[in-house]
Amino acid sequence: MRVRTLIFGLLAAGVLGSQPVLAQHQRQVRHYNRQGRPFYTGPLRGTLGGGTALYNGDLGNRPGDNFLGPALSLGVLYRLTPHLHLGGEFSFVKLGARDQAPERGLAFVSTNGLGTVLFRFDLLPDQSVFASSTTDSPTFQVFVQGGAGLLLYSPESYRGTERATDNTSFLAPERNDYPALAGVAPVGGGLGVRLTEQLRANIEGNYYFTTTDQLDDVSNQRLGGASASNDGFGTVLLKLEYSLR
């Protein structure tokens, strides 16, 4: 009985003792760079961001003409190489602006949801990802990023120079299938700060090229052929990254 108890005790201790090692291997996968130096991918990081958005389209692109609205994002990020990350995000963006041409007197508001896949490239080296390193990740990091995704947009246009209210009379929409779907291609960059080994804070800016000229419900059809370019928008966000390991 004592022998059996001792054997079970040793097995239990071995299993419990191996938990951190198993967790680490499940969290990170070992690879080698071009110099043969081993590094670990991962870990998976959750991201949460908040800020505002700026419109660029047929009505103009001046910041002072924008009705600034919220921009929110929720996503994940995973390290593929010492410099490259792959991420995915779901975002909510509220846009609005007045016409920069007073004689036209147009304005719009738009509620938008989008999903994007991004590649992020860190410009500064991070020695902490290498297997033999005992250093912390850098306090500051500069990065650039780009990707692609889909945008679900639902604009309403009206005549006026102020933000829309419950009493605003909107114009007939240019198309009858809002909310409509368009493609987006975000590009941008930012600056990150390490707060703890698991938590980082980033300030980032992105510009979203779109495949639609009706993000503002004002195309060359409503403007009489004044513009044939697609609309776009930018975001400025404060984003937190937290390691999920």
Side-chain angles (χ1 to χ4, degrees):
M1 180 65 68
R2 291 182 178 179
V3 174
R4 182 182 302 176
T5 302
L6 179 61
I7 292 175
F8 281 128
L10 292 174
L11 288 175
V15 170
L16 292 175
S18 67
Q19 288 301 313
V21 177
L22 290 174
Q24 180 174 358
H25 284 290
Q26 290 172 356
R27 183 176 68 243
Q28 297 178 326
V29 180
R30 191 170 184 173
H31 296 276
Y32 296 86
N33 65 3
R34 293 179 180 178
Q35 290 74 39
R37 191 177 179 187
F39 68 90
Y40 292 107
T41 60
L44 185 68
R45 304 178 73 88
T47 67
L48 176 65
T52 192
L54 296 168
Y55 155 83
N56 176 30
D58 295 322
L59 300 187
N61 57 10
R62 298 186 305 201
D65 290 326
N66 274 260
F67 307 138
L68 296 179
L72 306 171
S73 73
L74 179 66
V76 293
L77 193 68
Y78 188 82
R79 182 188 298 275
L80 300 177
T81 75
H83 287 274
L84 186 65
H85 304 255
L86 173 64
E89 287 186 346
F90 290 102
S91 305
F92 169 84
V93 176
K94 190 72 176 288
L95 294 172
R98 65 172 64 89
D99 200 335
Q100 67 179 6
E103 65 274 12
R104 293 190 305 226
L106 293 169
F108 86 99
V109 292
S110 179
T111 302
N112 312 277
L114 60 156
T116 53
V117 175
L118 291 165
F119 285 98
R120 191 179 92 179
F121 188 84
D122 291 341
L123 299 180
L124 303 181
D126 184 353
Q127 296 298 325
S128 68
V129 304
F130 292 101
S132 59
S133 176
T134 58
T135 63
D136 293 330
S137 57
T139 302
F140 297 99
Q141 183 60 260
V142 181
F143 59 89
V144 294
Q145 59 189 19
L150 293 175
L151 169 73
L152 191 66
Y153 63 102
S154 183
E156 294 179 291
S157 59
Y158 58 97
R159 296 199 178 276
T161 59
E162 302 299 326
R163 190 184 298 267
T165 67
D166 293 338
N167 297 322
T168 298
S169 179
F170 294 101
L171 300 173
E174 285 198 328
R175 49 194 294 178
N176 58 10
D177 63 344
Y178 293 134
L181 198 63
V184 292
V187 294
L191 171 67
V193 180
R194 175 171 55 84
L195 303 178
T196 70
E197 197 56 38
Q198 286 188 288
L199 182 65
R200 301 187 68 87
N202 300 331
I203 297 177
E204 67 176 54
N206 301 287
Y207 185 81
Y208 292 79
F209 296 92
T210 80
T211 60
T212 179
D213 187 31
Q214 294 169 318
L215 186 62
D216 47 16
D217 193 42
V218 178
S219 70
N220 55 338
Q221 173 186 343
R222 197 181 292 278
L223 296 178
S227 173
S229 61
N230 290 332
D231 300 325
F233 63 96
T235 59
V236 180
L237 300 173
L238 173 61
K239 185 176 292 184
L240 297 178
E241 294 181 11
Y242 184 78
S243 175
L244 301 178
R245 61 186 173 185

Short mmCIF file of all heavy atoms in Angstrom, two decimals, residues 44-69:
data_model
loop_
_atom_site.label_atom_id
_atom_site.label_comp_id
_atom_site.label_asym_id
_atom_site.label_seq_id
_atom_site.Cartn_x
_atom_site.Cartn_y
_atom_site.Cartn_z
N LEU A 44 -0.43 34.98 -27.77
CA LEU A 44 -1.64 35.65 -28.25
C LEU A 44 -1.96 36.82 -27.33
O LEU A 44 -1.97 36.68 -26.11
CB LEU A 44 -2.81 34.66 -28.27
CG LEU A 44 -4.11 35.19 -28.88
CD1 LEU A 44 -3.96 35.41 -30.38
CD2 LEU A 44 -5.26 34.21 -28.62
N ARG A 45 -2.21 37.99 -27.94
CA ARG A 45 -2.51 39.20 -27.16
C ARG A 45 -3.88 39.72 -27.56
O ARG A 45 -4.22 39.76 -28.75
CB ARG A 45 -1.45 40.27 -27.39
CG ARG A 45 -0.04 39.80 -27.10
CD ARG A 45 1.00 40.88 -27.39
NE ARG A 45 0.97 41.93 -26.41
CZ ARG A 45 1.67 41.91 -25.28
NH1 ARG A 45 2.45 40.87 -24.98
NH2 ARG A 45 1.61 42.92 -24.42
N GLY A 46 -4.67 40.11 -26.58
CA GLY A 46 -5.94 40.76 -26.84
C GLY A 46 -5.75 42.26 -26.93
O GLY A 46 -4.92 42.83 -26.20
N THR A 47 -6.48 42.92 -27.82
CA THR A 47 -6.34 44.37 -27.98
C THR A 47 -7.70 45.05 -27.80
O THR A 47 -8.73 44.52 -28.21
CB THR A 47 -5.78 44.73 -29.36
OG1 THR A 47 -6.72 44.38 -30.39
CG2 THR A 47 -4.48 44.00 -29.63
N LEU A 48 -7.67 46.23 -27.20
CA LEU A 48 -8.87 47.02 -26.98
C LEU A 48 -8.50 48.48 -27.20
O LEU A 48 -7.57 49.00 -26.56
CB LEU A 48 -9.41 46.82 -25.57
CG LEU A 48 -10.63 47.66 -25.18
CD1 LEU A 48 -11.85 47.27 -26.02
CD2 LEU A 48 -10.94 47.48 -23.69
N GLY A 49 -9.20 49.16 -28.13
CA GLY A 49 -8.84 50.52 -28.47
C GLY A 49 -10.03 51.45 -28.51
O GLY A 49 -11.17 51.03 -28.73
N GLY A 50 -9.77 52.73 -28.30
CA GLY A 50 -10.80 53.75 -28.38
C GLY A 50 -10.20 55.06 -28.87
O GLY A 50 -9.04 55.37 -28.57
N GLY A 51 -10.98 55.81 -29.64
CA GLY A 51 -10.49 57.08 -30.16
C GLY A 51 -11.56 57.74 -31.01
O GLY A 51 -12.75 57.68 -30.70
N THR A 52 -11.14 58.35 -32.10
CA THR A 52 -12.07 59.05 -32.98
C THR A 52 -11.69 58.83 -34.43
O THR A 52 -10.62 58.25 -34.72
CB THR A 52 -12.09 60.56 -32.65
OG1 THR A 52 -13.19 61.18 -33.30
CG2 THR A 52 -10.79 61.22 -33.07
N ALA A 53 -12.55 59.28 -35.34
CA ALA A 53 -12.35 59.05 -36.77
C ALA A 53 -12.56 60.34 -37.54
O ALA A 53 -13.33 61.22 -37.13
CB ALA A 53 -13.32 57.98 -37.28
N LEU A 54 -11.85 60.46 -38.67
CA LEU A 54 -11.92 61.63 -39.54
C LEU A 54 -12.27 61.19 -40.95
O LEU A 54 -11.69 60.24 -41.49
CB LEU A 54 -10.59 62.38 -39.54
CG LEU A 54 -10.15 62.99 -38.21
CD1 LEU A 54 -8.69 63.42 -38.28
CD2 LEU A 54 -11.04 64.17 -37.86
N TYR A 55 -13.21 61.92 -41.56
CA TYR A 55 -13.72 61.59 -42.89
C TYR A 55 -12.92 62.29 -43.98
O TYR A 55 -12.44 63.41 -43.80
CB TYR A 55 -15.19 62.00 -42.94
CG TYR A 55 -15.74 62.31 -44.31
CD1 TYR A 55 -16.18 61.30 -45.16
CD2 TYR A 55 -15.85 63.64 -44.74
CE1 TYR A 55 -16.71 61.61 -46.41
CE2 TYR A 55 -16.38 63.95 -45.99
CZ TYR A 55 -16.80 62.93 -46.82
OH TYR A 55 -17.31 63.22 -48.05
N ASN A 56 -12.80 61.63 -45.14
CA ASN A 56 -12.18 62.22 -46.32
C ASN A 56 -12.97 61.77 -47.55
O ASN A 56 -12.99 60.59 -47.88
CB ASN A 56 -10.72 61.76 -46.45
CG ASN A 56 -10.06 62.26 -47.72
OD1 ASN A 56 -10.41 63.32 -48.24
ND2 ASN A 56 -9.11 61.49 -48.23
N GLY A 57 -13.67 62.71 -48.18
CA GLY A 57 -14.51 62.33 -49.31
C GLY A 57 -14.97 63.51 -50.13
O GLY A 57 -14.33 64.57 -50.14
N ASP A 58 -16.10 63.34 -50.82
CA ASP A 58 -16.61 64.36 -51.74
C ASP A 58 -16.94 65.68 -51.04
O ASP A 58 -16.88 66.74 -51.67
CB ASP A 58 -17.86 63.84 -52.45
CG ASP A 58 -17.56 62.65 -53.35
OD1 ASP A 58 -16.50 62.66 -53.98
OD2 ASP A 58 -18.38 61.72 -53.40
N LEU A 59 -17.29 65.62 -49.77
CA LEU A 59 -17.64 66.85 -49.06
C LEU A 59 -16.41 67.59 -48.55
O LEU A 59 -16.52 68.74 -48.12
CB LEU A 59 -18.58 66.55 -47.90
CG LEU A 59 -19.92 65.90 -48.25
CD1 LEU A 59 -20.81 65.81 -47.02
CD2 LEU A 59 -20.63 66.67 -49.36
N GLY A 60 -15.26 66.95 -48.58
CA GLY A 60 -14.04 67.61 -48.14
C GLY A 60 -13.24 66.74 -47.19
O GLY A 60 -13.58 65.58 -46.92
N ASN A 61 -12.15 67.33 -46.68
CA ASN A 61 -11.27 66.59 -45.77
C ASN A 61 -10.70 67.46 -44.67
O ASN A 61 -9.71 67.10 -44.04
CB ASN A 61 -10.12 65.94 -46.55
CG ASN A 61 -9.31 66.95 -47.34
OD1 ASN A 61 -9.47 68.16 -47.18
ND2 ASN A 61 -8.46 66.45 -48.23
N ARG A 62 -11.31 68.59 -44.41
CA ARG A 62 -10.80 69.48 -43.36
C ARG A 62 -11.25 68.98 -41.99
O ARG A 62 -12.45 68.73 -41.78
CB ARG A 62 -11.30 70.91 -43.59
CG ARG A 62 -10.80 71.50 -44.90
CD ARG A 62 -11.18 72.96 -45.06
NE ARG A 62 -12.61 73.22 -44.92
CZ ARG A 62 -13.21 74.31 -45.39
NH1 ARG A 62 -12.49 75.23 -46.04
NH2 ARG A 62 -14.51 74.48 -45.23
N PRO A 63 -10.32 68.84 -41.04
CA PRO A 63 -10.69 68.36 -39.71
C PRO A 63 -11.78 69.19 -39.04
O PRO A 63 -12.64 68.66 -38.33
CB PRO A 63 -9.37 68.43 -38.93
CG PRO A 63 -8.32 68.31 -39.97
CD PRO A 63 -8.86 69.02 -41.18
N GLY A 64 -11.78 70.51 -39.28
CA GLY A 64 -12.77 71.37 -38.65
C GLY A 64 -14.18 71.16 -39.15
O GLY A 64 -15.14 71.59 -38.49
N ASP A 65 -14.35 70.50 -40.29
CA ASP A 65 -15.68 70.23 -40.83
C ASP A 65 -16.23 68.89 -40.36
O ASP A 65 -17.36 68.53 -40.69
CB ASP A 65 -15.65 70.26 -42.36
CG ASP A 65 -15.43 71.66 -42.92
OD1 ASP A 65 -15.91 72.62 -42.29
OD2 ASP A 65 -14.78 71.80 -43.97
N ASN A 66 -15.43 68.13 -39.62
CA ASN A 66 -15.87 66.83 -39.15
C ASN A 66 -16.72 66.94 -37.89
O ASN A 66 -16.47 67.78 -37.01
CB ASN A 66 -14.66 65.94 -38.83
CG ASN A 66 -14.15 65.20 -40.03
OD1 ASN A 66 -14.44 64.02 -40.22
ND2 ASN A 66 -13.39 65.89 -40.88
N PHE A 67 -17.77 66.11 -37.82
CA PHE A 67 -18.51 65.90 -36.58
C PHE A 67 -17.88 64.67 -35.91
O PHE A 67 -18.25 63.55 -36.19
CB PHE A 67 -19.99 65.65 -36.85
CG PHE A 67 -20.65 66.70 -37.70
CD1 PHE A 67 -21.54 66.34 -38.71
CD2 PHE A 67 -20.40 68.05 -37.50
CE1 PHE A 67 -22.16 67.30 -39.48
CE2 PHE A 67 -21.00 69.03 -38.27
CZ PHE A 67 -21.89 68.65 -39.28
N LEU A 68 -16.90 64.91 -35.05
CA LEU A 68 -16.10 63.81 -34.52
C LEU A 68 -16.98 62.82 -33.75
O LEU A 68 -17.78 63.21 -32.90
CB LEU A 68 -15.00 64.35 -33.61
CG LEU A 68 -13.95 65.23 -34.30
CD1 LEU A 68 -12.93 65.71 -33.29
CD2 LEU A 68 -13.28 64.49 -35.43
N GLY A 69 -16.81 61.56 -34.07
CA GLY A 69 -17.55 60.50 -33.40
C GLY A 69 -16.61 59.44 -32.86
O GLY A 69 -15.39 59.48 -33.11
#
